[in-house]
Structures are given as structure tokens and as C-alpha cells.
Amino acid sequence: MRGPGNARSSSRALAVSWRPATWHPRLDMGRLSRPSSSSSSRSSRSSSSSSRSSHRNLPHVLLIFLFVGPFTCLASYSRATELLYSLNEGLPAGVLIGSLAEDLRLVPRAAGRAEPQQAQPPERAGAQWNPPLSFSLASGGLSGQYVTLDNRSGELHTSTQEIDREALCVDEGGAAAWGSSIAISSSPSSDSCLLLLDVLVLPQEYFRFVKVKIAIRDINDNAPQFPVSQILVWVPENAPVNTRLAIEHPAVDPDIGINGVQTYRLLDYHGMFTLDVEENENGERTPYLIVMGALDREKQDEYISIIIAEDGGSPPLLGSATLTIGISDINDNCPLFVDSQINVTVYGNATVGTPIAVVQAVDRDLGTNAQITYTYSQKVPQASRDLFHLDETTGVITLFSKIGGSVLQMHKLTVLANGPGCIPAVITALVSIIKVIFRPPEIVPRYIANEIDGVVYLKELEPVNTPIAFFTIRDPEGKYKINCYLEGDGPFRLSPYKPYSNEYLLETIKPMDYELQQFYEIAVVAWNSEGFHVKRIIKVQLLDDNDNAPVFLQPLIELTIEENNAPNAFLTKLYATDADSGERGQVSYFLGPDAPSYFSLDSVTGVLTVSTQLDREEKEKYRYTVRAVDCGKPPRESVATVALTVLDKNDNSPRFINKDFSFFVPENFPGYGEIGIISVTDADAGQNGWVALSVVNQSDIFVIDTGKGMLRAKVSLDREQQSSYTLWVEAVDGGEPALSSTTKITILLLDINDNPPLVLFPQSNMSYLLVLPSTLPGSPITEVYAVDKDTGMNAVIAYSIIGRRGPRPESFRIDPKTGNITLEEALLQTDYGLHRLLVKVSDHGYPEPLHSTVMVNLFVNDTVSNESYIESLLRKEPEINIEEKEPQISIEPTHRKVESASCVPTLVALSVISLGSITLVTGMGIYICLRKGKKHHRKDDNLEVQIPLKGKMDLHMRERKPMDISNI
């Protein structure tokens, strides 16, 4: 039976059914708003569009019906509703997106209601429904990743997963997928990004299927970014003003709309450029570089600036890149000569091929625009062309043929410099020829050394003053004085050969070294008094001898290798140089006699290897020699030393010097006192050999110094609580990975007398015991029972009565060994009353015994008729005379003579064993005998001393049969 509210909801559900709602609630940063009346036409178009979308999504709706079929079949009404919300990206978790219960009008609206008294908290939304409403996503999917839905209140909130619009809506224009619980969609408009949810409203009586669209609005959270950091634009130097050039690689901003890239600017326009931005039909903005002035590559060939992209956010974000504007060359310059004319003089005896002049033009352009070719003008006669050759590329003019006697004395050579598309530049070379009318001096060589085709061959080890050749100098004219000298560098000397006037000897003056210089070119120059000279070129080629031994780069070759190396491990490649040539410079390598057998050296390559595995702990350093031998005759060699250091690896665990350690420590040992040293070693070196000690167990009680290995106890140790400790100490080295070992440590506590006897009975000094007057002498009355937590002699207990009070308290005695109190004499009429015995319980500890006291109260009477009277007597502070007396363990007097007599054979035996110690041993024996006799004698003495007691002692007495107490 539904209430009135249900009926109203039913009518609304039947009104819209599976058609889109006539209005779509929208969320602006978590707040809903209805479309205004001005947008009714758009709502109508949206309604029709949504209707068509509903038909397209019908298969998905059918799938939803299959899922919720049992509910829809039984429901009396249903409604398909679409809600649209919008929110900014990047919101934190917990921001309210919207309330489905309110927006579907399932509950009164929380704000602006006509009846405020009907307001209810969100968590109770739907509580007016019976049964209450439940909201859920149609399927799990990604629903929990971006939004959370309260299944009771129907409130949608942002989740902990921050919404990033740029990450969600990468694929612009993708279609929405209603089949999943959340789908991500970009509508055809570039600024729309939707999260789609299918929400079910249950139970089945009020079932609704709600399509929720959440539009994600963009915020300016991304700065523009250029795809490259360096942008290059080429501009021809003849580009006219207002030339526009598109800049490739424009900036990219993942944001959209006004938050995207809006404008560009240059940091420095150099007074020559400006920027313009063009927007295409897709909204993309492209920067254009505009030329604002005349360019000249020859003045400046490059302009560098920073291009900045700015978006329209508030505040705007910027991105930048380096913009390089290169000015490309055009052929706007022609070749030019510096001079228009040059003058050249040539002697008539000049050698063919001699350069006589060089013409050089300059073109300021680049590359092919600056290529220059040189040619003679057509005005140059053919005779001049045949005599002088012009190189088209270099502009060098050389003597092409021998100058004859009929050759003109003056030649005018007009040279043209030709550039591409240019008028040739012109230069004139005036060549004057000077005729030679006499013959030059003559040089006639006669070689002593081996000479072939004008080349003299000498061995480098030839001695100083080795003759090379004789030179005869002649004057064909026979009328000029001729001088001769040697031109060129080298260990040579040209000197007159006496007694002849025109003979000269060429010889060596210094040792020669093939390795320093193999070839010399010298000239014998003869000149006459008129200044004319002639040269004779001498070429000297040195022949190599085996005069150099191989040389290692370093006389000491220091190597390192980690231990546990692989067999045949590479150590190094030896290299020695030999300055000699040919076979004499070929080097072979050999191990020295002191090298261990497991090292190998390749004689050709010089590769040094080790064939076995090295162990640093066995041997750390190796030192041996290697030889480098050349192939000369006789061979030469050199020696180097190899110093190999084996580096440590962490291949040894720490080792304790003992398998386990035991320490004996007296109890009550002070905290952090030194118990003992744990010694440990590690065969490794360096950090691998550093050992850190730690206590594995009992670390709350014991600690160990890593540096010294000293074991200490953090607290004072009490043997009565624990008599021994077993520790495990771990030693860990500093290697990587670290190695470790453990050892067992046993600590035994030695007892000291630190516990006085503890009286267990009587339990109180206020307890008492009724003793009948008819008790027979020798009868046990009660006992004092005590224990001692110590061990050995520290726990041996003796009992004694050190104070008495009463009518005749000496009537009672205590057994020093058992603590049993017995009646010594028969009780008289005068003994009636309270007897108080102060009992001392003492141990035999060393160096000083400890003791406790207890009051034993004995009331002699036939009955206890007035307990309050007795208790009043017990409460009074007793005045008891105390007589200190060492408690003794009783020994029967009948044994006294026997034990005294037993000392005689002891003394005799000791004197026979050691005559040197007879005096000391005899004194010890006498002392022992006297002590024993004194103990028996003191047994019968009355040792009471009257000492008043200042305090009360509580002891509760109870019946106990005599018993022996022993401490282990």
C-alpha cells in the first residue's frame, strides 16, 4: 500500500518514462542551475537530439533491462532520466557534484524549500520512502576512480583520483559509451569532455534508470610548450619588406579555448622583424615572421631571439624557445681586384715552370655565388699566352716555355676575374724580360758515397767526417771570381780541398740518427762577382741500423686484479716501441725468469694473462720482469717490471678465536662493567675486513663494543633472579654483500652474600603460642623457619636466641641448626605469663654474614581466657636485653677429645711432607684444633647481653612440626 508521496512520484515517472527530461540540471562547481527561458529553443533542440540518441542507445538500454529485468517487471512504474553536471578539472576529493535524490525530486530540495520544517540531512535522503531508496552504479567499471556515489543519499562527490581533463579526453570527438558504468567522451565540440554514468535507483518498487553526464571543464593548468627548443627560420637576404614566413613547430597547449595558446611575441625584434598570428578554421594559431627592414647577409648573417607563446588564462602561462633567423645568401656581389695593375720582372735564363705572379680577386658572397675563374682577355696576344700560363682556379701565372733570344722584352697580360652572373673584374700584369748575355758557373760533382739517380745513401752509424762527394766549380767565361757555399740544414760541411782552388769536399760533421731525420736535401751554390749564381741539389737518404732497443712506455707496470678471478683472466696489454724501422723495429714480448709459471705473455700481441685463480689471503703482491726484444742483428732488448696487486673480495667470513666463550661474573656486577673481550678476525682487507659485533639475543641486557669487542651488561645482574645467561653474538663484516658468523657466549654469575635470611615462620612478631605448664622438659614447642636465596656458605643458616624476656625465659632453647625451640626445664608456678624470645637468623656469608631477627612469643598458662590482655602485652614495646653471640651448629661434647687428638697425626704428616713449611703448617693445624674446641665449649655458655630494643617486630606464630631446612 503506497502513500500519497509514492503516488505523486509514480505520476512523474510515467510522465517521462524513457524519454529525456525536459530540463537538465547542471552543476557549476558543485551547484545546480536550471536552463533559463532564453535557452528554451536550445533545450527543444537538445530534447530532439537526445531523443535520437535514446533510439541509438536502445541496445544498451535493453542490456540494462536484462540486468534489472526482475525489478522492472515487478515495478508499478519506472522512469528513464538524464542529468547533466559540470565541474572543473583538478578538484580535490570530497567536492559535491550533485544530489541525485534532490535533482530527481525524490526528496525535498535542501535549499529554497517552501517548508523548511521538512528539511532532513543528506544521509537520511530517501528515508521518507519505505523501504528506503538505494542508489548504485549499474556496474563496477571505473566508477570508484573519479567519483563516489553515496548509496543512501544519492550524493555524487569527487574521489581521491584527481580528474585531469587533458589525460581523459585525449581522443577528441570520441563517442560516448553508455554500456559501462563510467565512460569518457569528447563530444563533437572541442571543449566538451564528459564522464558518463548509469545509476540505478532501487528498490524495485521505485526503480529508476538514470543517465548522468558530468562535463569536465578545462582550467589553465598547462603552459604552452614548443615541441623543439631551437627553431630555425631561413630568410633570403633580398626578401622585401612585409615578407611573411610561417614559423614551423608552433607551441602546443593541452588546455582548450581561452586557456590555449592565444598569442606569440619575440623578446628582441632587432628592429628588423615583427610577429603576426593567424588562426585557421580549426582554431589553431600559427605565428608568422614578418620582415620589417632591408637585410644584408654580408653585414649580418644571423639574428637570434626568444619566441614566447602565451595562453589566455588568468594569470597567463608562458612557453619559450630559441628562434634563430638565418639570412641565406644571394649572388649580390661580384669579384673585385684590389689593384688594377701589377709589374713583374723575369730574367731571360729563368727556369720553365717558375711562378712569376699571382692575381687574386675577392667575392663577398658564399658558396657557388663566390666561385671565381681567371682567364686572359682576348686582347692578350697568342705569343704571350704561349709563354705565360694562367691557372684558371688559383690565378697563378707561370713561365710555360723557355725564353728565347727573339722573345719580346715587354708583355701586357690582361686577366679577367669571372663570377656567376657578374661583369668580369680586370687586372693588368706588365711582364718585363731581362736578357742574360753570359753563361752561369758550372758545378761538376764526383760522388764518393753510394749514389743512385741523384740520391746519396748513407748509413746512420757512419762516423763523423765521412766524405760524401767532391765538387769542381768552373767559370765558363774564365774571367769571374767564383765563390761556393752549402745551402740547407743538416750535419754536413762543404769546404775547399787544398791545395786545389776550385775543388770542394762535402762531408759529415756530426753523428746522424735515422730515428730523428731520415732525409736531407741540401744545395751546393756557386756565384760569381756579378751576382749570378747556380745551384746543384744534393739529396741524402739515411739507411737505418739496429741502434735502438725497444722501450716500454713505463718501466714499472702497476696492475690490479680482484681475487677469485676467472682462469686466463686478462691483466694488460704490454706495449713497447722501437724507433728502428723494418725488422729492426718489430718487438716480441717474453716473461722474465722470476715470473711465476701461471702467468702467460703472448709474444706477438703483448697480452698478459693469469691462468689460475689468485687468492689475496694467500699472496697479495706479485713482482716480476718482462722483456721486449726486437728482431735486429744482433737483437736488442729492454726490461720492465710488472707489479701486480691482488685486490680483496669479501670471500672470508669473520672467525672467532674460540668456538664459544665462557665468563664468570660476580653478581651485582655494575652496569656497563667489562665482562670480557670477544676476539674475532677476518682474513679480508679494508672494508671487507671490518667486523661489527652485535648481540643477537638478550640485547636488552647485554651490549658489545664493536671497536674493542668488549662485552658489557647494561644493568646489574642478580644471580637470585637468573644464575646464567647464554648469548649469541654475531660478527658481520663490511663487505658487499656482507658475510657473518656467530658464536655462543655463556655467562655464569658467581654468588655473593647479598640476601639476608628470610623468616617464613613465625609470620608476625605479634603472634603467640600457648604453652601448657604440664609440658615436659625436652618437648618441642615451636620452630623458626627461614630460607636464604644465596647459595653455598652464603645460604647456610644458623639460629640463636639473642634476647629474652619473661618470668624465666631461659627455660627455652633453640637448635642452631634446625631452628626448633624446645623446653629445657620443667615449668613452675612462677613461670606463668608471657615469655618473649628474640631469635637471630644468620647466614655464613663472606666477607660478612647477614642476619634477620624475629620475636617468638610463648604464653605459659592452662588456658587463654583473656586474649585482649595478651594482645595488649604484645603491643607494648618490650625491653629485652640483647647479648650478641655467634650462632653455632651444635656438636656433641663427647667428640671433643677425638677431634683434638686427630690433629696430632695431621701435624706429623704435614711436617714429613714439607720440612720447609713445617712452622706454617703446624700453626695452621693448632689454629684449626683450637677453633673446634672453642666451638664446643661455647655451646653451654649463657650468652645473654642486656640491650634494649627500640622497635617493634611483627611475627605471627603458628603450629609447625620441627623440620630441617637446606638451601641448594
Side-chain angles (χ1 to χ4, degrees):
M1 184 87 185
R2 302 186 183 89
N6 293 340
R8 289 193 298 271
S9 298
S10 175
S11 62
R12 288 197 303 271
L14 294 174
V16 296
S17 185
W18 285 99
R19 294 175 298 170
T22 57
W23 65 275
H24 303 281
R26 295 182 180 271
L27 177 65
D28 184 5
M29 291 295 290
R31 300 185 59 86
L32 285 168
S33 60
R34 295 176 178 270
S36 62
S37 60
S38 62
S39 61
S40 60
S41 62
R42 291 194 301 268
S43 299
S44 176
R45 289 194 299 271
S46 176
S47 175
S48 61
S49 176
S50 300
S51 177
R52 291 191 300 269
S53 177
S54 298
H55 291 294
R56 288 196 302 268
N57 291 331
L58 186 58
H60 300 287
V61 174
L62 294 177
L63 289 176
I64 298 300
F65 270 106
L66 289 177
F67 175 76
V68 296
F71 302 99
T72 56
C73 293
L74 298 177
S76 59
Y77 60 89
S78 64
R79 171 178 293 181
T81 308
E82 178 181 299
L83 296 178
L84 175 62
Y85 298 97
S86 65
L87 76 161
N88 289 349
E89 62 174 326
L91 293 178
V95 174
L96 177 64
I97 300 174
S99 173
L100 302 183
E102 293 182 0
D103 298 335
L104 294 173
R105 303 178 184 177
L106 300 178
V107 296
R109 188 168 299 278
R113 291 188 298 266
E115 298 179 358
Q117 65 273 15
Q118 296 179 0
Q120 51 185 328
E123 62 272 11
R124 296 189 55 83
Q128 60 181 342
W129 300 81
N130 187 20
L133 296 176
S134 173
F135 300 86
S136 62
L137 296 173
S139 61
L142 303 174
S143 60
Q145 185 173 357
Y146 300 106
V147 298
T148 58
L149 174 64
D150 191 308
N151 61 350
R152 298 297 304 274
S153 66
E155 289 185 348
L156 274 174
H157 293 84
T158 57
S159 69
T160 56
Q161 178 67 40
E162 183 178 290
I163 298 177
D164 186 355
R165 183 189 180 283
E166 289 72 34
L168 293 178
C169 300
V170 175
D171 184 14
E172 293 290 344
W178 285 99
S180 59
S181 60
I182 290 184
I184 301 166
S185 170
S186 295
S187 68
S189 61
S190 61
D191 58 348
S192 179
C193 177
L194 298 179
L195 266 69
L196 308 180
L197 298 88
D198 293 341
V199 180
L200 301 178
V201 182
L202 299 175
Q204 59 186 3
E205 291 88 346
Y206 319 118
F207 169 75
R208 286 194 181 190
F209 179 70
V210 183
K211 293 180 177 290
V212 178
K213 296 181 180 180
I214 302 176
I216 308 301
R217 290 200 300 265
D218 181 50
I219 64 173
N220 191 28
D221 57 345
N222 293 279
Q225 185 175 6
F226 287 91
V228 294
S229 60
Q230 301 281 342
I231 301 175
L232 178 60
V233 177
W234 286 101
V235 181
E237 63 176 325
N238 62 343
V241 176
N242 293 328
T243 298
R244 300 171 63 88
L245 298 170
I247 297 178
E248 296 182 357
H249 310 294
V252 178
D253 193 330
D255 296 324
I256 62 173
I258 192 66
N259 294 329
V261 178
Q262 298 298 316
T263 184
Y264 294 86
R265 69 175 184 270
L266 291 180
L267 198 61
D268 185 1
Y269 291 93
H270 296 284
M272 302 293 293
F273 306 97
T274 187
L275 276 185
D276 188 19
V277 180
E278 291 186 3
E279 182 177 359
N280 60 15
E281 58 184 8
N282 295 328
E284 298 176 351
R285 288 178 168 85
T286 302
Y288 281 82
L289 182 69
I290 302 177
V291 179
M292 301 299 294
L295 303 175
D296 188 350
R297 189 205 62 80
E298 286 70 34
K299 292 182 178 180
Q300 185 169 351
D301 61 352
E302 185 180 72
Y303 298 87
I304 298 177
S305 184
I306 302 297
I307 184 171
I308 299 174
E310 181 177 333
D311 63 20
S314 180
L317 301 179
L318 308 177
S320 64
T322 300
L323 177 63
T324 301
I325 304 171
I327 309 302
S328 58
D329 183 54
I330 64 170
N331 191 24
D332 57 346
N333 291 278
C334 290
L336 292 175
F337 285 108
V338 177
D339 300 317
S340 62
Q341 180 176 311
I342 59 174
N343 298 315
V344 181
T345 300
V346 180
Y347 289 99
N349 61 347
T351 307
V352 174
T354 301
I356 63 170
V358 177
V359 292
Q360 188 74 43
V362 177
D363 192 326
R364 296 175 60 192
D365 292 327
L366 295 177
T368 58
N369 294 330
Q371 289 182 354
I372 301 175
T373 57
Y374 301 94
T375 60
Y376 283 130
S377 171
Q378 295 181 358
K379 297 179 180 180
V380 177
Q382 187 64 39
S384 298
R385 294 172 183 263
D386 295 338
L387 185 59
F388 303 102
H389 175 264
L390 174 63
D391 190 293
E392 293 184 355
T393 304
T394 63
V396 176
I397 301 174
T398 57
L399 184 61
F400 188 69
S401 62
K402 189 174 181 180
I403 300 175
S406 60
V407 175
L408 295 175
Q409 303 303 307
M410 179 66 69
H411 295 266
K412 183 178 181 180
L413 304 179
T414 302
V415 179
L416 305 179
N418 303 287
C422 291
I423 298 174
V426 180
I427 189 172
T428 301
L430 296 177
V431 182
S432 299
I433 298 177
I434 300 175
K435 283 189 176 184
V436 178
I437 59 175
F438 57 87
R439 291 180 293 174
E442 294 181 355
I443 301 174
V444 179
R446 297 191 301 274
Y447 293 100
I448 302 172
N450 185 25
E451 181 267 338
I452 301 175
D453 296 332
V455 179
V456 177
Y457 294 92
L458 292 177
K459 292 184 178 181
E460 63 172 324
L461 297 182
E462 290 287 355
V464 178
N465 299 325
T466 297
I468 299 175
F470 278 109
F471 292 91
T472 301
I473 308 301
R474 300 174 183 173
D475 180 15
E477 303 293 331
K479 56 181 179 179
Y480 297 104
K481 181 180 179 181
I482 300 175
N483 294 318
C484 187
Y485 66 90
L486 188 65
E487 185 181 82
D489 296 329
F492 308 103
R493 178 178 59 193
L494 183 66
S495 59
Y497 189 73
K498 300 290 179 68
Y500 306 102
S501 60
N502 61 341
E503 297 289 340
Y504 292 85
L505 175 64
L506 179 63
E507 60 184 349
T508 61
I509 58 174
K510 292 180 181 179
M512 295 176 289
D513 191 346
Y514 175 87
E515 287 69 39
L516 294 178
Q517 187 170 348
Q518 299 88 29
F519 184 80
Y520 297 90
E521 184 171 295
I522 56 178
V524 177
V525 180
W527 59 283
N528 60 18
S529 56
E530 296 296 324
F532 296 102
H533 63 273
V534 66
K535 289 183 181 180
R536 184 64 179 253
I537 303 299
I538 308 298
K539 297 179 180 179
V540 180
Q541 175 67 55
L542 294 186
L543 301 177
D544 187 32
D545 286 309
N546 192 28
D547 58 339
N548 292 280
V551 177
F552 284 100
L553 295 180
Q554 294 176 338
L556 178 61
I557 304 170
E558 296 181 331
L559 306 174
T560 59
I561 186 175
E562 284 192 343
E563 63 176 330
N564 304 330
N565 56 281
N568 299 318
F570 173 83
L571 295 177
T572 188
K573 183 176 182 180
L574 302 180
Y575 184 70
T577 59
D578 194 319
D580 294 325
S581 61
E583 292 182 344
R584 294 171 292 275
Q586 294 180 1
V587 181
S588 299
Y589 303 91
F590 303 95
L591 289 172
D594 55 346
S597 59
Y598 39 82
F599 288 95
S600 300
L601 179 60
D602 190 291
S603 61
V604 177
T605 63
V607 173
L608 180 63
T609 58
V610 57
S611 60
T612 187
Q613 192 176 76
L614 301 179
D615 188 355
R616 189 204 66 83
E617 288 73 34
E618 179 180 340
K619 188 173 182 180
E620 183 177 5
K621 294 184 180 296
Y622 296 85
R623 194 179 184 92
Y624 53 89
T625 58
V626 291
R627 298 184 304 126
V629 183
D630 64 20
C631 298
K633 294 181 181 180
R636 291 177 175 266
E637 69 175 44
S638 62
V639 177
T641 301
V642 174
L644 175 63
T645 301
V646 182
L647 301 180
D648 183 56
K649 291 183 68 175
N650 193 26
D651 57 346
N652 291 278
S653 301
R655 294 185 61 184
F656 292 93
I657 61 172
N658 295 329
K659 184 177 180 182
D660 49 30
F661 296 82
S662 297
F663 298 103
F664 294 88
V665 180
E667 66 172 330
N668 299 334
F669 195 66
Y672 291 97
E674 298 180 351
I675 295 176
I677 294 178
I678 311 299
S679 298
V680 63
T681 61
D682 194 314
D684 293 323
Q687 186 173 348
N688 295 330
W690 296 349
V691 179
L693 298 175
S694 61
V695 179
V696 178
N697 62 328
Q698 303 284 353
S699 59
D700 55 334
I701 302 177
F702 297 94
V703 68
I704 192 166
D705 297 341
T706 299
K708 298 180 180 179
M710 180 63 69
L711 181 64
R712 303 173 187 270
K714 296 181 181 179
V715 297
S716 179
L717 304 178
D718 189 354
R719 189 207 60 79
E720 285 71 37
Q721 294 184 1
Q722 187 169 343
S723 61
S724 65
Y725 295 87
T726 300
L727 311 179
W728 291 96
V729 172
E730 182 182 33
V732 181
D733 61 25
E736 183 63 36
L739 301 178
S740 64
S741 60
T742 57
T743 187
K744 179 181 178 183
I745 299 177
T746 303
I747 300 174
L748 302 174
L749 298 182
L750 302 178
D751 183 52
I752 63 174
N753 192 27
D754 58 343
N755 291 282
L758 176 64
V759 178
L760 301 179
F761 185 83
Q763 298 179 353
S764 172
N765 287 342
M766 299 298 294
S767 63
Y768 65 92
L769 179 67
L770 178 65
V771 180
L772 300 178
S774 59
T775 304
L776 298 177
S779 298
I781 303 300
T782 185
E783 70 170 337
V784 177
Y785 177 56
V787 295
D788 197 314
K789 294 182 180 180
D790 296 322
T791 61
M793 292 301 296
N794 296 331
V796 176
I797 298 177
Y799 303 87
S800 63
I801 299 176
I802 61 172
R804 305 169 185 264
R805 183 169 180 81
R808 194 158 57 93
E810 63 272 9
S811 301
F812 302 94
R813 67 176 294 273
I814 189 167
D815 189 303
K817 187 175 181 181
T818 64
N820 291 334
I821 298 177
T822 58
L823 182 63
E824 285 289 295
E825 302 175 358
L827 298 174
L828 305 177
Q829 187 68 30
T830 59
D831 295 333
Y832 281 63
L834 182 63
H835 296 255
R836 311 195 75 174
L837 306 178
L838 181 61
V839 177
K840 178 180 179 181
V841 183
S842 176
D843 60 23
H844 286 66
Y846 179 83
E848 182 177 351
L850 302 178
H851 69 274
S852 301
T853 59
V854 66
M855 187 70 74
V856 179
N857 301 307
L858 303 176
F859 185 68
V860 178
N861 203 0
D862 293 325
T863 60
V864 179
S865 59
N866 190 351
E867 291 187 2
S868 60
Y869 169 72
I870 298 174
E871 292 176 355
S872 66
L873 293 178
L874 294 176
R875 283 194 294 269
K876 293 180 180 180
E877 184 174 334
E879 296 182 359
I880 298 177
N881 296 328
I882 297 177
E883 179 180 348
E884 277 296 343
K885 172 182 173 183
E886 290 291 334
Q888 303 293 330
I889 304 298
S890 63
I891 301 176
E892 294 298 327
T894 55
H895 297 287
R896 186 182 308 163
K897 293 182 180 180
V898 177
E899 293 179 356
S900 298
S902 65
C903 293
V904 177
T906 303
L907 294 175
V908 174
L910 292 173
S911 61
V912 173
I913 295 172
S914 178
L915 294 177
S917 305
I918 188 169
T919 304
L920 178 61
V921 175
T922 303
M924 292 176 62
I926 294 173
Y927 175 75
I928 294 172
C929 294
L930 292 177
R931 288 283 295 174
K932 289 184 178 181
K934 188 176 180 180
K935 289 180 181 179
H936 291 292
H937 179 71
R938 288 165 64 183
K939 172 184 174 183
D940 301 324
D941 294 342
N942 186 1
L943 301 178
E944 293 185 0
V945 179
Q946 300 298 325
I947 300 177
L949 294 178
K950 298 298 181 181
K952 294 183 179 181
M953 299 183 182
D954 295 331
L955 184 65
H956 176 69
M957 301 187 63
R958 59 187 179 87
E959 292 285 345
R960 280 182 66 90
K961 62 181 180 179
M963 60 184 297
D964 294 333
I965 304 299
S966 62
N967 256 1
I968 299 177

